[in-house]
Amino acid sequence: MSETTWDVIVIGAGAVGENVADRAVQGGLSVVLVESELVGGECSYWACMPSKALIRSGLALRAVERLPGAAQAVTGGIDVPALLARRNSFTSNWDDAGQVRWVEKAGIGLERGHARLNGPKQVTVTGKNGTVTTLTARHAVVVCTGSDPQLPNIPGLIDARPWTPREATSVKEVPPSLAIIGGGVVGVEMATAYRDLGAEVTLFARSGLLNGQEEFAGEMVAKALRERAVTIVETSPTRVERTSDGVVIDTSDGSFTASEVLIATGRIARTSDLGLDTVGLTPGDWLSVDDTMLVHDTDWLYAVGDVNHRALLTHQGKYQARAAGDVIAARAKGETVDDSPWGAHVATADHGAVPQVTFSDPEVASVGVMSKDAEKQGIDVQVVDYNLGWVAGASLQADNYEGQARFVIDRERQVIVGATFVGQDVAELLHSATIAIVGEVPLSRLWHAVPSYPTISEVWLRLLEAIGRP
Ligand SMILES: Cc1cc2nc3c(=O)[nH]c(=O)nc-3n(C[C@H](O)[C@H](O)[C@H](O)COP(=O)(O)OP(=O)(O)OC[C@H]3O[C@@H](n4cnc5c(N)ncnc54)[C@H](O)[C@@H]3O)c2cc1C
């Protein structure tokens, strides 16, 4: 058994853990990353990157098909082997050698194996071959272990060997048909991708699609998926069974059969085998943190990324990671900590300015407060909508462009607190709204931010006109 001491131990080398480690090293601390699977984590190998690679070709093809002149050049459908090969290149064929090189170059130590806490500032790492290493932290242990898929309690489901997002994003042979349970972002994105890959898709979404978004977003995506012959069933499966004909899914609306079934019903904290009980915490729980990512009632344990349940998105986890890495270094060196709202050492944006894109067709891009939540938060709310199809830049992008935009306004403060864009190619529009919300740019000043003609961004002008000049 070997023993080493570091300033900081980071458990989990996903995108978030890598960023915490990098910032702490840049702050002058010695840091070791512990990883039980692939350096780079879920996002690189089984989530963001492969899923977007699976979706992109279909979006591009349909964009061309909506454009007379270019549409005539489309003489075939998706080349599935070429698409899967491109997906493989985005995951580096599930080989983390490149990311390991980056870790080494960044001056971060790397320990391979499964980490468990063993009391305050103590971590035990068990390697694949059974070797045990004990790590001690001088200043902090940072948990960045991410999340696992949540499997709903449906009779027969586990025995039916369902797919999780990992199997869906790393698929080598596309099944003839796929049933997807869950109408959130992952369910919708995988329905989009697998329909393009040629599978018959049935989506079970008991409360409609994209529940966390403005209602019109889910409705527009559902309409578009139905037009592409995706079956959307708005009821819950009551029983699942794998038979010789495939997986049979029973619901109160009848039975459906598919070659495979994918579970996309949310996430649980990856903390069940982390030794949390040795530091007075409950295994399996999400780790609740303050705005510097310090776990409540501790002065040495941090939790960053999915595992703290603030915003289960890579970009938001990496934002938290920059704050956490910097604050750990500042505290270790006895420097001033800037933990006031929007300070250098806090992740204030998690509370009301989280951007998210669903890469469906149409895309859904949103940030900040949704209209249904604004009143509950005590905001004197004004909601304005505009049909994106009426914007010249959008109609140039595609014939019969269908899209919708919404701003949620705080009337008292005269600022935008929420924005949603639904339509082809709206993802890149989102950051303008994120900046307006984070910067709390007054509506009167936004009138002077002139969008170029003819771009989709002209929807900003149309929405401001709908609000009326302050
Ligand atoms: C299908 C899908 C698509 C997604 N698409 C997007 C997207 O487009 N954009 C976006 O922003 N987000 C997306 N997400 C969410 C995103 O993947 C997560 O928010 C992100 O991966 C979280 O990063 P993390 O570093 O917190 O956790 P992870 O990436 O899960 O990394 C945690 C790491 O910790 C390691 N680990 C766990 N326990 C231990 C232990 N005890 N000892 C040692 N190592 C351990 C794991 O092996 C893993 O490598 C998607 C999610 C899914 C499922």
Side-chain angles (χ1 to χ4, degrees):
M1 185 164 87
S2 66
E3 293 183 15
T4 52
T5 300
W6 302 78
D7 289 333
V8 182
I9 302 166
V10 178
I11 305 177
V16 174
E18 287 179 327
N19 274 269
V20 175
D22 190 33
R23 297 300 281 215
V25 164
Q26 287 184 41
L29 304 183
S30 67
V31 182
V32 64
L33 261 173
V34 188
E35 175 53 54
S36 56
E37 293 188 79
L38 295 179
V39 174
E42 216 68 25
C43 182
S44 301
Y45 306 103
W46 299 286
C48 329
M49 296 313 282
S51 65
K52 266 78 256 183
L54 288 177
I55 292 165
R56 181 64 204 149
S57 304
L59 296 187
L61 182 67
R62 277 189 302 286
V64 171
E65 285 172 343
R66 293 180 192 125
L67 207 55
Q72 286 73 6
V74 178
T75 53
I78 294 283
D79 180 332
V80 175
L83 188 157
L84 295 182
R86 181 166 188 264
R87 182 279 316 270
N88 294 350
S89 76
F90 272 91
T91 62
S92 309
N93 286 301
W94 294 272
D95 178 345
D96 66 1
Q99 302 235 23
V100 170
R101 274 196 299 279
W102 174 84
V103 167
E104 285 165 359
K105 223 171 140 198
I108 303 162
L110 178 63
E111 195 71 51
R112 296 268 193 185
H114 184 92
R116 284 181 197 84
L117 289 161
N118 188 19
K121 296 188 188 176
Q122 299 290 320
V123 173
T124 303
V125 182
T126 310
K128 281 221 168 76
N129 55 5
T131 53
V132 177
T133 307
T134 301
L135 307 174
T136 303
R138 286 186 202 94
H139 298 293
V141 176
V142 191
V143 177
C144 304
T145 51
S147 61
D148 275 321
Q150 179 173 44
L151 299 182
N153 192 9
I154 302 171
L157 181 66
I158 304 297
D159 291 339
R161 300 185 307 281
W163 278 10
T164 69
R166 280 196 175 199
E167 285 75 32
T169 52
S170 60
V171 68
K172 303 282 185 301
E173 212 168 296
V174 178
S177 53
L178 180 66
I180 302 174
I181 301 178
V185 177
V186 173
V188 160
E189 289 190 346
M190 288 302 100
T192 304
Y194 272 78
R195 192 68 200 104
D196 280 328
L197 291 167
E200 298 290 328
V201 176
T202 307
L203 186 54
F204 296 88
R206 72 172 166 206
S207 344
L209 304 188
L210 301 178
N211 249 322
Q213 302 289 326
E214 297 288 1
E215 223 170 287
F216 68 85
E219 287 166 4
M220 292 180 79
V221 170
K223 174 175 171 278
L225 283 172
R226 284 194 170 110
E227 282 168 7
R228 294 176 55 216
V230 169
T231 304
I232 300 175
V233 185
E234 293 196 5
T235 182
S236 293
T238 50
R239 191 181 160 72
V240 177
E241 188 180 0
R242 190 176 282 273
T243 69
S244 51
D245 293 334
V247 183
V248 179
I249 295 144
D250 294 334
T251 75
S252 52
D253 286 352
S255 285
F256 300 80
T257 303
S259 318
E260 297 293 346
V261 59
L262 162 66
I263 305 302
T265 46
R267 311 288 295 177
I268 54 171
R270 204 181 269 147
T271 58
S272 58
D273 189 15
L274 195 59
L276 286 186
D277 48 326
T278 69
V279 295
L281 295 165
T282 308
D285 276 3
W286 300 103
L287 292 174
S288 171
V289 295
D290 68 15
D291 270 4
T292 68
M293 305 300 123
L294 191 60
V295 173
H296 292 301
D297 303 323
T298 75
D299 63 359
W300 60 274
L301 184 64
Y302 292 76
V304 192
D306 276 14
V307 77
N308 66 28
H309 208 222
R310 285 165 69 105
L312 279 70
L313 291 161
T314 297
H315 46 268
Q316 216 62 23
K318 285 162 71 177
Y319 159 72
Q320 296 167 7
R322 294 189 285 275
D326 290 354
V327 81
I328 290 167
R331 285 181 175 140
K333 293 187 283 183
E335 292 172 0
T336 310
V337 168
D338 181 4
D339 60 359
S340 55
W342 305 112
H345 297 134
V346 286
T348 309
D350 285 357
H351 300 300
V354 176
Q356 175 162 27
V357 174
T358 304
F359 291 85
S360 41
D361 187 6
E363 291 170 342
V364 176
S366 67
V367 56
V369 183
M370 299 297 116
S371 56
K372 57 187 169 195
D373 302 323
E375 246 170 69
K376 284 183 222 149
Q377 294 183 16
I379 295 171
D380 175 13
V381 62
Q382 179 184 4
V383 176
V384 285
D385 291 320
Y386 198 79
N387 183 335
L388 268 171
W390 297 342
V391 176
S395 56
L396 272 167
Q397 209 76 2
D399 272 14
N400 304 315
Y401 188 103
E402 285 187 35
Q404 184 77 17
R406 168 170 292 179
F407 279 173
V408 179
I409 306 295
D410 181 331
R411 239 193 301 233
E412 194 187 319
R413 291 168 53 229
Q414 284 293 295
V415 292
I416 299 172
V417 291
T420 298
F421 307 99
V422 181
Q424 182 191 309
D425 299 327
V426 296
E428 297 297 339
L429 210 58
L430 186 59
H431 199 54
S432 50
T434 307
I435 291 170
I437 291 172
V438 170
E440 298 169 290
V441 184
L443 293 172
S444 57
R445 179 57 66 87
L446 281 174
W447 274 83
H448 298 276
V450 184
S452 292
Y453 182 82
T455 61
I456 304 181
S457 293
E458 269 216 312
V459 70
W460 276 84
L461 175 57
R462 301 293 164 235
L463 286 162
L464 288 171
E465 285 170 340
I467 297 163
R469 191 150 202 158

